């Protein structure tokens, strides 16, 4: 027996309702429901929330359903969201028209690269996500799939719309290609797999769209909760249509504008000669006038053990030294200094964070020089690694890239560092 699930995508422009029915593979395990953001119903310390405001909660749920559809099986593509091909990549069937006159047709034929054969090639972003990603990233993209509890780092919660490995300015949304790269190549050194052997480029495109869809939905939810938290529960106009539209448009615009903001350095990479590597080392050690703090986080030997973070053994004890659900007890048992340090250094999703050991040549966001250029220039969103452009110019960043890439092959680079030069006396005559 074939179970049928529905996808709805509304193409805003023509006011056309598009639905998809199908997904007849064996993974169709019944209805899947979005999970509310915790802040919708719970009192969260220091965070906007709608606890105790049932009318506003209902408005948020209704607005989300209107914009994005009721469930993952009924996708609506909100007007103005800017998905390529109007979001036809998200599902595998669409509905044209509504009510009695609704007509369902397969999307397969409409996609480019649509070879007639392997049906799953046009499964649509949601079906691909359900098969490959959901067990880690969760139905709503909250990073809370059944596998997630056991992983460090945790799978990304897409609902904040914050992505680490981007080519766009610090704090901006990722470019599509950034997401494509992370999914195709995986994030080395984490449990995020590389999917290039499992999915065709067209399938990766479909799932990228679905990640963006879940992000936009989650960001809209969060923004509505924030707006609701400063609104009066009894105000009939609170979270009205205009406000919802303005909030959703704000979310879409950030995604759209990032697509033209890739930061391409105008200075070509400096040749990786000894001089450049040593200039990079001086920058790393904070021995230049810019007084960089790389070593404070990554450590004097770049082993990921700088004094700004708790020592590695303490970190390992807390994160890996027992049941993940009792982690807080292990934090509470730390002495005060360590506890304070621990509490200062979560990532933006509230998870434990560790600076990278730079001696291994293993970089989550890729080890091409340009990948490292982007990491150092713009920092890593959500992970406390700061942006260094424009504090540093592009040539200095290339020196740092050369230094970081050299470390793996030359472990003595830092171990053999000569002591810092003794402070010089100010020249006579200088009074400042
Ligand atoms: C085994 C668990 C697992 C599976 C399966 C998985 N991921 Fe991930 N994913 C992760 C982890 C862990 C991270 C975060 C790593 C980190 O924060 O350093 C991540 C991060 C990401 C990111 C964020 C990259 C960034 O720049 O911040 C994206 C996008 C992503 N995954 C998409 C997907 C998609 C799409 C799929 C399915 C095709 C998928 N993931 C399957 C574990 C998984
Ligand atoms: C305030 C702390 C801090 C400072 C300062 C800092 N970093 Fe980082 N850096 C981090 C953290 C934390 C990570 C790990 C992020 C993650 O795994 O998600 C990281 C990751 C990295 C990575 C790995 C990127 C990848 O793809 O895995 C590189 C390379 C790096 N930092 C280089 C530097 C350099 C060079 C400097 C100085 C110019 C520097 N960092 C300054 C905290 C810092």
């Amino acid at each position: 027996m074939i179970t049928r699930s529905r996808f709805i995508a509304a193409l805003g422009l023509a006011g056309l309702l598009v639905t998809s029915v199908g997904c007849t593979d064996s993974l169709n395990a019944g209805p899947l429901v979005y999970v509310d953001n915790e802040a919708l119903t719970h009192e969260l310390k220091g965070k906007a929330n709608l606890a105790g405001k049932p009318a506003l909660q209902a408005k948020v749920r209704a607005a989300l359903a209107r914009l994005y559809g009721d469930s993952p099986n009924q996708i609506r593509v909100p007007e103005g969201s800017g998905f390529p091909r109007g979001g036809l990549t998200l599902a595998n069937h669409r509905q044209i028209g509504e009510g009695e006159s609704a007509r369902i047709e397969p999307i397969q034929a409409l996609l480019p690269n649509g070879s007639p054969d392997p049906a799953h090639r046009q499964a649509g972003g949601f079906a691909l996500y359900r098969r490959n990603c959901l067990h880690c990233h969760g139905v709503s993209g909250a990073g809370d799939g059944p596998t997630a509890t056991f992983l460090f780092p945790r799978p990304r919660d897409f609902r904040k719309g914050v992505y680490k490995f981007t080519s766009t300015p610090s704090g901006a949304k990722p470019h599509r290609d950034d997401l494509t790269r992370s999914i195709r190549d995986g994030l080395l050194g984490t449990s995020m797999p590389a999917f290039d052997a499992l999915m065709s480029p067209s399938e990766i495109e479909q799932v990228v769209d679905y990640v963006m869809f879940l992000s936009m939905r989650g960001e809209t939810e969060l923004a509505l909760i924030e707006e609701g938290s400063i609104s009066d529960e009894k105000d009939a106009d609170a979270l009205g249509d205009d406000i919802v539209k303005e909030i959703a448009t704000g979310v879409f615009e950030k995604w759209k504008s990032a697509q033209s903001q890739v930061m391409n350095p105008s200075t070509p990479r400096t040749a990786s000669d000894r001089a450049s590597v040593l200039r990079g080392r001086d920058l790393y050690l904070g021995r230049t006038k810019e007084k960089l703090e790389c070593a404070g986080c990554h450590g004097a030997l770049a082993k990921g053990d700088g004094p700004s973070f708790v020592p590695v053994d303490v970190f390992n004890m807390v994160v890996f030294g027992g049941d993940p659900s009792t982690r807080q007890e292990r934090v509470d048992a730390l002495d005060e200094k360590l506890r304070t340090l621990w509490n200062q250094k979560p990532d933006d999703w509230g998870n434990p964070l560790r600076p990278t050991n730079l001696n291994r040549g293993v970089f989550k966001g890729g080890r091409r020089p340009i990948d490292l250029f982007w990491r150092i220039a713009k920092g890593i969103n959500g992970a406390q690694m700061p942006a260094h452009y424009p504090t540093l110019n592009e040539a200095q960043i290339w020196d740092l890239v050369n230094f970081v890439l050299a470390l793996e092959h030359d472990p003595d680079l830092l171990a053999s560092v000569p002591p810092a030069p003794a402070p010089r006396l100010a020249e006579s005559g200088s009074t400042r």
Side-chain angles (χ1 to χ4, degrees):
M1 209 193 78
I2 291 167
T3 338
R4 304 209 128 189
S5 54
R6 321 202 105 219
F7 297 73
I8 300 182
L11 286 190
L13 275 179
L16 191 68
L17 251 186
V18 185
T19 301
S20 134
V21 180
C23 204
T24 53
D25 60 44
S26 58
L27 283 151
N28 194 354
L32 286 169
V33 286
Y34 291 125
V35 183
D36 291 334
N37 190 306
E38 231 198 331
L40 187 67
T41 44
H42 288 71
E43 190 85 52
L44 299 180
K45 225 171 81 195
K47 277 194 202 153
N49 63 76
L50 294 183
K53 292 181 164 179
L56 288 171
Q57 290 171 5
K59 284 185 182 174
V60 172
R61 290 196 188 100
L64 285 178
R66 220 163 45 240
L67 284 163
Y68 298 95
D70 282 334
S71 83
N73 291 331
Q74 297 205 318
I75 298 172
R76 272 177 193 275
V77 180
E79 190 174 350
S81 52
F83 279 101
R85 297 187 287 277
L88 290 182
T89 45
L90 293 169
N92 59 0
H93 283 67
R94 65 173 183 166
Q95 176 182 314
I96 296 176
E98 265 181 293
E100 292 279 283
S101 62
R103 181 161 58 80
I104 306 287
E105 66 172 32
I107 290 172
Q108 177 144 342
L110 300 166
L111 291 174
N113 314 329
S115 72
D117 180 30
H120 75 272
R121 299 218 151 217
Q122 281 77 37
F126 167 60
L128 291 164
Y129 179 87
R130 185 174 55 181
R131 185 187 321 212
N132 297 294
C133 324
L134 187 147
H135 69 93
C136 282
H137 290 284
V139 177
S140 320
D144 61 351
T147 315
T149 321
F150 307 102
L151 301 179
F152 175 82
R154 290 273 298 201
R156 180 77 63 262
D157 177 349
F158 301 136
R159 300 170 308 168
K160 263 175 153 352
V162 174
Y163 290 86
K164 288 183 181 177
F165 307 110
T166 58
S167 57
T168 47
S170 179
K173 298 291 162 205
H175 189 274
R176 286 184 68 85
D177 291 351
D178 299 329
L179 299 177
T180 304
R181 238 184 342 264
S182 295
I183 296 165
R184 189 190 58 210
D185 302 340
L187 304 178
L188 218 59
T190 81
S191 60
M192 167 71 196
F195 285 94
D196 62 342
L198 286 172
M199 288 189 207
S200 68
S202 129
E203 287 174 314
I204 292 182
E205 287 294 305
Q206 294 168 49
V207 90
V208 162
D209 281 343
Y210 193 69
V211 166
M212 288 168 62
F213 177 84
L214 286 177
S215 273
M216 291 180 190
R217 186 183 175 281
E219 289 171 68
T220 307
E221 183 181 29
L222 264 179
L224 288 170
I225 292 172
E226 266 166 33
E227 177 67 25
S229 73
I230 50 168
S231 310
D232 183 351
E233 164 82 352
K234 297 197 191 73
D235 178 358
D237 293 335
L239 297 185
D241 288 353
D242 286 355
I243 293 173
V244 170
K245 188 161 184 214
E246 194 183 313
I247 283 178
T249 307
V251 170
F252 307 149
E253 288 311 315
K254 282 195 203 148
W255 278 93
K256 286 189 204 163
S257 66
Q259 306 313 307
S260 58
Q261 287 182 36
V262 172
M263 182 182 171
N264 286 314
S266 50
T267 318
R269 180 185 176 197
T270 314
S272 179
D273 55 21
R274 188 80 186 160
S276 166
V277 168
L278 293 182
R279 282 196 303 273
R281 183 175 74 178
D282 277 348
L283 285 162
Y284 178 86
L285 290 171
R287 291 181 167 188
T288 62
K289 66 174 180 347
E290 292 84 5
K291 300 244 179 300
L292 301 187
E293 288 173 12
C294 316
C297 292
H298 290 281
L301 297 177
K303 295 199 163 155
D305 56 357
S308 306
F309 284 75
V310 295
V312 180
D313 55 339
V314 174
F315 185 87
N316 288 345
M317 188 275 291
V318 171
V319 175
F320 305 113
D323 184 343
S325 67
T326 59
R327 188 173 288 165
Q328 191 55 45
E329 292 166 25
R330 292 191 287 283
V331 173
D332 293 341
L334 295 175
D335 73 38
E336 199 190 325
K337 199 172 135 252
L338 287 175
R339 204 168 51 241
T340 309
L341 207 50
W342 177 275
N343 288 333
Q344 283 166 353
K345 299 293 176 193
D347 68 16
D348 281 13
W349 298 267
N351 300 317
L353 178 65
R354 196 73 225 157
T356 309
N357 178 342
L358 301 175
N359 292 269
R360 295 194 179 127
V362 176
F363 305 108
K364 294 179 180 177
R367 48 171 293 126
R368 296 174 308 167
I370 186 69
D371 295 322
L372 293 167
F373 183 96
W374 283 327
R375 297 304 88 79
I376 297 168
K378 321 163 321 66
I380 300 178
N381 298 321
Q384 303 218 15
M385 156 98 187
H388 292 88
Y389 181 85
T391 309
L392 301 181
N393 62 38
E394 293 182 348
Q396 288 173 306
I397 296 171
W398 285 125
D399 287 338
L400 275 164
V401 170
N402 289 338
F403 162 72
V404 167
L405 284 171
L407 265 176
E408 173 196 359
H409 307 289
D410 190 352
D412 279 350
L413 253 179
L414 286 170
S416 66
V417 165
R424 258 180 289 151
L425 286 174
E427 277 173 31
S428 58
S430 163
T431 50
R432 272 179 289 172

